[in-house]
């Protein structure tokens, strides 16, 4: 076991993002009070590794080294130093050992964030789905495991998490390209529509890029339809309400991205969307 601190640098890495930047509630009051500290530990770890990958000051090699160190702390093979990022991995390790949730729900995230750190290019829809398999789907599987639900919920949960991740990429496509030099819009879709990354730097969506967005949203609609099957698989009533609300939000955000322009300004959920989600949650109580 090593306690060297060189890999961590001299400061915590933070993007300034928080739960309010997500499309779904984190540690919602709908979840059991007893489980919320574990959800918060998982979210804190996920936020740290996301911030590392999104850092504008670290080099790609430094990012990967720090992500590797986080994984070693998680597995107990590296001593965590007194830093918020390292301690988040230590706290999640304790939580996973207490709850019995598989460590893969945490380590799989690192696969995606290493790709982000290296500047991986997404050539096709399948490339993007593969990324979401590691960047998003483990979150749903973590919550399913934490609530001791069955594996039967995995397929619908994966569809929901992938949908939410892709919707988030579409919301942030201009900012990701400008700030991080990162593009999650599949290049083959843009090429087939006669457009490219330069059009993502415009102040409004071109007709060609709108075709790309609509094609992506058509496929997201398919994912949302698969996600509809999640709620009946969930036995815990409070978690079932949470899932119903999030499925509703995925449908609502998909609709907003069809009607609004993500290049003209961030397309975000509104109060009326929250009301629809609340109604869906109440229906799931039964």
């Amino acid at each position: 076991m090593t306690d060297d601190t060189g890999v961590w640098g001299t400061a915590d890495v933070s993007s300034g993002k928080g739960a309010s930047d997500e499309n779904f509630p984190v540690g919602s009051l709908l979840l059991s009070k007893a489980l919320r500290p574990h959800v918060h530990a998982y979210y804190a770890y996920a936020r740290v590794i996301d911030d590392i990958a999104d850092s504008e000051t670290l080099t790609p090699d430094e990012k990967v080294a720090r992500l590797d160190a986080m994984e070693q702390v998680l597995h107990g093979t590296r001593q965590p130093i007194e830093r918020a990022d390292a301690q988040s991995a230590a706290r999640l390790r304790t939580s996973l050992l207490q709850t019995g949730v598989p460590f893969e729900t945490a380590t799989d995230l690192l696969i995606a964030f290493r790709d982000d750190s290296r500047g991986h290019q997404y050539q096709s829809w399948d490339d993007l789905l593969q990324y979401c398999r590691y960047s998003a789907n483990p979150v749903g599987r973590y919550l399913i495991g934490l609530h001791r639900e069955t594996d039967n919920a995995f397929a619908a949960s994966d569809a929901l998490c992938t949908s939410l991740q892709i919707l988030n990429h579409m919301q942030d496509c201009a900012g990701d390209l400008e700030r991080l030099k990162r593009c999650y819009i599949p290049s083959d879709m843009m090429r087939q529509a006669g457009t490219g990354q330069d059009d993502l730097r415009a102040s409004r969506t071109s007709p060609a890029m709108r075709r790309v967005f609509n094609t992506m949203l058509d496929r997201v609609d398919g994912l949302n339809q698969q996600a509809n099957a999640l709620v009946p698989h969930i036995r815990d009533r409070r978690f079932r309400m949470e899932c119903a609300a999030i499925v509703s939000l995925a449908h609502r955000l998909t609709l907003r991205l069809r009607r609004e322009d993500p290049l003209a300004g961030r397309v975000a959920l509104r109060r009326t969307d929250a009301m629809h989600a609340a109604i869906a949650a109440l229906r799931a109580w039964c």
Side-chain angles (χ1 to χ4, degrees):
M1 183 177 293
T2 178
D3 63 354
D4 61 293
T5 60
V7 70
W8 301 106
T10 58
D12 293 320
V13 175
S14 175
S15 67
K17 294 186 291 186
S20 61
D21 297 285
E22 306 294 345
N23 288 325
F24 51 93
V26 178
S28 163
L29 293 177
L30 286 174
L31 298 181
S32 163
K33 185 177 181 180
L35 296 181
R36 269 178 244 155
H38 296 291
V39 177
H40 291 153
Y42 185 83
Y43 176 78
Y45 162 85
R47 173 52 60 208
V48 165
I49 60 176
D50 190 17
D51 285 348
I52 291 170
D54 286 355
S55 170
E56 298 178 61
T57 59
L58 297 175
T59 68
D61 286 345
E62 288 170 338
K63 292 178 183 181
V64 172
R66 194 173 289 198
L67 292 172
D68 289 347
M70 292 286 285
E71 183 167 21
Q72 291 161 8
V73 172
L74 193 64
H75 284 305
T77 59
R78 177 186 287 268
Q79 187 71 25
I81 64 172
E82 292 299 323
R83 280 266 308 281
D85 46 6
Q87 289 296 317
S88 72
R91 284 192 295 272
L92 182 57
R93 170 178 168 78
T94 299
S95 172
L96 293 174
L97 291 172
Q98 289 174 348
T99 60
V101 177
F103 272 66
E104 287 78 10
T105 58
T107 57
D108 278 359
L109 294 175
L110 293 165
I111 297 172
F113 293 136
R114 288 189 185 100
D115 279 348
D116 280 342
S117 298
R118 298 181 179 114
H120 182 78
Q121 298 294 313
Y122 299 93
Q123 302 293 333
S124 68
W125 180 258
D126 286 342
D127 283 347
L128 188 56
L129 293 183
Q130 180 71 2
Y131 171 79
C132 293
R133 174 186 173 185
Y134 295 107
S135 69
N137 298 1
V139 178
R141 292 189 175 220
Y142 169 79
L143 291 170
I144 288 168
L146 185 65
H147 286 84
R148 302 190 184 281
E149 301 289 346
T150 70
D151 295 358
N152 293 333
F154 282 170
S157 172
D158 289 350
L160 176 60
C161 292
T162 295
S163 166
L164 290 167
Q165 180 74 89
I166 293 172
L167 291 169
N168 185 254
H169 288 327
M170 295 181 71
Q171 287 174 289
D172 295 338
C173 58
D176 285 342
L177 185 60
E178 179 182 0
R179 187 172 67 87
L180 301 172
K181 306 299 184 286
R182 194 181 297 163
C183 182
Y184 297 96
I185 309 301
S187 58
D188 65 348
M189 286 188 178
M190 291 190 288
R191 186 168 55 253
Q192 290 165 14
T195 186
Q197 291 186 13
D198 284 345
D199 276 2
L200 293 174
R201 297 184 173 92
S203 59
R204 59 185 296 179
T205 299
S206 68
M209 188 60 73
R210 185 73 253 181
R211 289 195 294 273
V212 174
F213 289 161
N214 287 343
T215 298
M216 294 180 70
L217 291 170
D218 287 343
R219 298 186 183 188
V220 168
D221 274 334
L223 293 168
N224 290 342
Q225 290 302 314
Q226 295 175 50
N228 288 339
L230 176 60
V231 175
H233 284 301
I234 303 301
R235 297 167 298 180
D236 182 275
R237 184 174 285 179
R238 296 173 70 97
F239 185 36
R240 188 166 68 242
M241 293 176 70
E242 174 94 346
C243 291
I246 297 173
V247 170
S248 174
L249 293 176
H251 282 279
R252 299 290 299 181
L253 184 54
T254 304
L255 187 59
R256 288 212 172 276
L257 281 163
R258 282 197 185 278
R259 295 175 175 174
E260 301 175 31
D261 186 348
L263 300 188
R266 195 173 196 271
V267 177
L269 293 163
R270 299 181 185 177
R271 184 174 299 178
T272 53
D273 301 314
M275 291 174 59
H276 280 273
I279 293 169
L282 289 172
R283 287 174 177 166
W285 177 258
C286 302

